[in-house]
Amino acid sequence: MKTIIIGGVAGGASAAARLRRLDEKAEIVILEKGEFVSFANCGLPYYIGGEITDREELTLQTPESFKSRFDIDVRILNEAVRINPGEKTVTVKNLVDGECYTEEYDTLILSPGAEPIIPNIRGIETANVFTLRNIPDTMKIKSYIESEKPESAVVVGGGYIGVEMAENLAKAGLSVSIVELADHLIAPLDYDMAADVHRYIKEKGIKLYLNNGVTAIERDRIILQNGEIKADMVIMSVGVRPETAIARECGIETNSRGSIIVDAKMRTNIPDIYAVGDAVEAENFVTKAPSFIPLAGPANKQGRIVADNIAGFESEYTGTQGSAVLKLFDMTVATTGLNEKAAQLSETDYEKTYIYSSSHASYYPNGNMMSIKALWDKKSLKIIGAQIVGFDGVDKRMDVIAAAIRFGGKITDLTQLELCYAPPFSSAKDPVNMLGFVAENIVSGKIKQFFWNEVEALPRDNSVTLLDVRTVTEVECGKIDGFINIPLDALRSRIEEIPKDKPVYVHCHSGLRSYIACRILQGNGYDCYNLAGGWRLYESVINEKTVPEYICTECK
């Protein structure tokens, strides 16, 4: 049995190693048109920024190591140029000498990945314009920085790679700007969760040009739809698309984006041809709709599944939910499942909530706050998505929520999770538990919510009562127009000041004290609504200038 694998990164390399472990006698050939196989795409920005200092660390395997450990024939600089399904052959071009040859196969695995989108704008071919997909791209950028000594850079595109590149270019000593067509960075985030990211990244000296695009590139100047930026180099990071021309040309079915259509066993429409990784259309785990979610984790899992099926072990891919995490200087951003835009497009009837919790026990030194947002299906209560922005402990909380989604967990199930606790690591009621408690209160009707984007529409004509239960010192740091201030600890003694025949809309800093206020009011016959996420979220979204904690310690 002979298997040819086109593409030697992530999915392709994973399939090859797994197939060998399952079948010692199989003949396995990897065709890779680049110079490297099994390299760490996700580590490339950190080599440019100096976090990773040894280029060899980016290469997980080499042709020699594949041969010695797995007896796999890896041919770098060998490009598959044609697939001939009728003859079960692949035409290969040796990029060193230009010669072509034919290779037969019993099974074929396509793992060509995705290629950077290059927009059609004037000046895109300028020598100081780069993309980042592989190690040679990385070395070009690194070499340019070392030889030309650029002082400024523009990153076009504010996705995960774009933001990581901006951070690492800044660490390399450049003045950095990000240009993004959308109104916020990191598309899997909702705008309200991205607001904290915007404020933080600007504090780190990176300039943001949102709702803006590049119309032309000159040697030291970037022309925008609105304005221009001086820059010595440009990184294009506007997204990727499946690199699947060879598949389409031989009759393999693709969708309108160009992604290869596969079944749960990763089989294409042509017998004995499989496909994995960024080149394929994957089922969204939450919505069950066809999706394009290019991530390394799913690619590796798909490679393993293909190898299982080729070796005779039934295995199916159950979908991609989009779990991802981003390091941004000291900040961590993590997402899983659907955001609000995706939930609305899927026509899911969902509910949401926010919490603002410490990474560990408040009395233990050096705790950091994290903002958590969760979405769940109103009917089934199943969690459909979450976003976390913070510092320490973000990744482990998101991993718990991602696992809960994978196993069909309800938002209320989070209250029952028994998670590890010690003061340096968490609180007795972990933020994940707290998320469940807050949601449970909403589901059970103990509390009613309103949201930051509804605040401005609230009437200021005395038909409702708008109540701020923060301390006087906190209110001095900033307030929402029209809200009267009665601190929580004085609420019972001053409750007669609040008319009982009007709805009461309450907020505090994070939503916790205002929840307590609502329970007091509801216990006394009031109709009360709590501002989800509190003043902190509202102010962050509206103004992107929440008062720093070192200025206003009462606002914590």
Side-chain angles (χ1 to χ4, degrees):
M1 176 71 73
K2 180 178 180 180
T3 297
I4 293 180
I5 302 171
I6 298 176
V9 184
S14 178
R18 173 69 170 175
L19 185 56
R20 170 58 72 228
R21 292 193 295 270
L22 297 177
D23 186 348
E24 180 61 22
K25 303 300 182 183
E27 183 180 355
I28 305 170
V29 178
I30 296 178
L31 302 173
E32 170 55 54
K33 68 179 181 180
E35 300 175 48
F36 302 91
V37 292
S38 190
F39 61 84
N41 297 71
C42 300
L44 300 180
Y46 301 102
Y47 180 71
I48 292 169
E51 290 286 326
I52 298 172
T53 57
D54 184 356
R55 192 190 76 176
E56 300 300 318
E57 295 293 329
L58 297 171
T59 306
L60 307 179
Q61 294 284 349
T62 65
E64 294 75 21
S65 66
F66 261 118
K67 183 64 177 176
S68 62
R69 177 164 296 181
F70 298 108
D71 191 25
I72 292 172
D73 181 5
V74 178
R75 305 175 191 175
I76 60 172
L77 298 173
N78 275 249
E79 181 180 8
V81 295
R82 185 180 302 107
I83 300 169
N84 313 292
E87 295 79 28
K88 299 187 78 168
T89 63
V90 177
T91 303
V92 187
K93 182 177 183 180
N94 185 316
L95 299 180
V96 176
D97 59 20
E99 295 294 322
C100 289
Y101 62 95
T102 299
E103 200 73 36
E104 295 181 346
Y105 66 84
D106 295 301
T107 55
L108 178 64
I109 302 172
L110 304 181
S111 182
E115 60 185 347
I117 295 172
I118 309 298
N120 183 23
I121 58 178
R122 179 168 58 85
I124 196 71
E125 301 298 332
T126 305
N128 64 341
V129 179
F130 304 89
T131 60
L132 181 63
R133 182 195 181 195
N134 51 37
I135 292 177
D137 291 343
T138 306
M139 299 314 298
K140 287 178 185 177
I141 296 170
K142 185 85 166 176
S143 176
Y144 185 86
I145 293 173
E146 291 173 349
S147 63
E148 301 300 320
K149 304 292 190 296
E151 296 181 356
S152 58
V154 168
V155 177
V156 183
Y160 281 106
I161 296 297
V163 171
E164 287 172 348
M165 278 301 304
E167 173 198 355
N168 282 281
L169 288 168
K171 286 187 172 180
L174 283 73
S175 173
V176 182
S177 302
I178 299 176
V179 178
E180 170 56 51
L181 270 174
D183 63 359
H184 68 281
L185 300 177
I186 311 171
L189 289 178
D190 289 316
Y191 180 83
D192 47 20
M193 295 297 285
D196 281 350
V197 180
H198 296 170
R199 187 172 65 252
Y200 179 76
I201 200 170
K202 287 186 286 189
E203 287 175 359
K204 291 296 184 179
I206 294 174
K207 300 179 179 66
L208 299 184
Y209 296 81
L210 304 174
N211 289 308
N212 215 333
V214 175
T215 60
I217 299 173
E218 299 179 359
R219 176 62 188 171
D220 61 351
R221 197 165 59 123
I222 314 301
I223 311 302
L224 306 179
Q225 293 171 345
N226 181 21
E228 62 179 58
I229 311 171
K230 285 272 191 178
D232 300 320
M233 66 183 300
V234 179
I235 307 293
M236 300 301 303
S237 184
V238 298
V240 296
R241 60 184 164 215
E243 193 170 3
T244 55
I246 190 174
R248 295 194 302 271
E249 290 166 0
C250 77
I252 292 174
E253 188 177 358
T254 59
N255 63 17
S256 59
R257 183 190 286 270
S259 299
I260 298 170
I261 297 174
V262 295
D263 65 10
K265 294 184 177 180
M266 309 310 297
R267 297 177 298 197
T268 71
N269 61 303
I270 295 180
D272 299 317
I273 299 182
Y274 299 77
V276 301
D278 296 352
V280 307
E281 173 187 273
E283 180 182 271
N284 185 294
F285 178 78
V286 177
T287 66
K288 307 307 177 186
S291 302
F292 178 63
I293 310 175
L295 293 169
N300 278 276
K301 293 179 182 70
Q302 291 164 5
R304 181 184 178 91
I305 287 166
V306 166
D308 285 352
N309 286 306
I310 290 174
F313 297 92
E314 293 288 319
S315 186
E316 293 189 351
Y317 188 64
T318 56
T320 302
Q321 69 189 64
S323 300
V325 66
L326 166 74
K327 172 188 173 296
L328 176 59
F329 297 99
D330 294 324
M331 177 175 272
T332 305
V333 179
T335 62
T336 191
L338 308 183
N339 59 16
E340 288 202 62
K341 180 179 179 181
Q344 291 161 8
L345 287 173
S346 70
E347 299 183 348
T348 301
D349 186 16
Y350 69 93
E351 185 59 274
K352 63 182 177 180
T353 196
Y354 308 80
I355 66 167
Y356 191 57
S357 292
S358 179
S359 57
H360 58 245
S362 58
Y363 57 82
Y364 190 87
N366 302 319
N368 286 296
M369 303 300 289
M370 65 180 73
S371 184
I372 308 179
K373 178 179 183 178
L375 281 64
W376 69 90
D377 184 289
K378 281 186 179 180
K379 184 177 180 180
S380 67
L381 301 187
K382 285 186 177 181
I383 310 166
I384 61 171
Q387 303 160 44
I388 309 181
V389 176
F391 298 87
D392 296 337
V394 167
D395 53 340
K396 72 174 183 176
R397 272 66 184 220
M398 186 56 77
D399 284 342
V400 171
I401 298 170
I405 291 175
R406 180 60 62 164
F407 294 114
K410 298 178 181 180
I411 189 69
T412 49
D413 290 336
L414 300 182
T415 65
Q416 301 298 322
L417 295 181
E418 185 175 335
L419 304 173
C420 297
Y421 162 61
F425 303 103
S426 184
S427 299
K429 291 185 286 190
D430 187 85
V432 173
N433 298 134
M434 291 302 301
L435 188 64
F437 294 144
V438 172
E440 184 181 57
N441 285 334
I442 296 164
V443 170
S444 64
K446 295 182 182 70
I447 194 71
K448 293 186 286 188
Q449 301 184 104
F450 67 108
F451 299 100
W452 64 266
N453 57 328
E454 299 171 332
V455 169
E456 298 307 313
L458 291 173
R460 266 69 171 179
D461 60 0
N462 294 321
S463 61
V464 301
T465 299
L466 307 181
L467 178 62
D468 180 345
V469 296
R470 296 177 299 158
T471 65
V472 172
T473 304
E474 286 177 287
V475 174
E476 290 173 351
C477 294
K479 63 181 181 178
I480 304 175
D481 289 342
F483 280 71
I484 63 170
N485 177 227
I486 300 178
L488 173 63
D489 292 343
L491 182 58
R492 286 186 178 87
S493 63
R494 296 176 58 184
I495 199 166
E496 297 301 326
E497 298 177 27
I498 304 171
K500 191 171 285 188
D501 60 344
K502 302 175 183 178
V504 184
Y505 291 83
V506 188
H507 84 81
C508 66
H509 184 68
S510 67
L512 175 58
R513 284 172 291 167
S514 50
Y515 161 68
I516 297 170
C518 274
R519 294 306 300 160
I520 294 171
L521 291 167
Q522 286 172 216
N524 284 277
Y526 289 82
D527 181 20
C528 192
Y529 296 79
N530 184 30
L531 178 59
W535 154 262
R536 193 211 69 81
L537 177 69
Y538 168 82
E539 202 277 340
S540 177
V541 176
I542 299 301
N543 300 313
E544 289 188 13
K545 60 178 184 180
T546 298
V547 178
E549 292 182 0
Y550 62 84
I551 293 178
C552 183
T553 56
E554 290 293 323
C555 295
K556 291 183 181 179

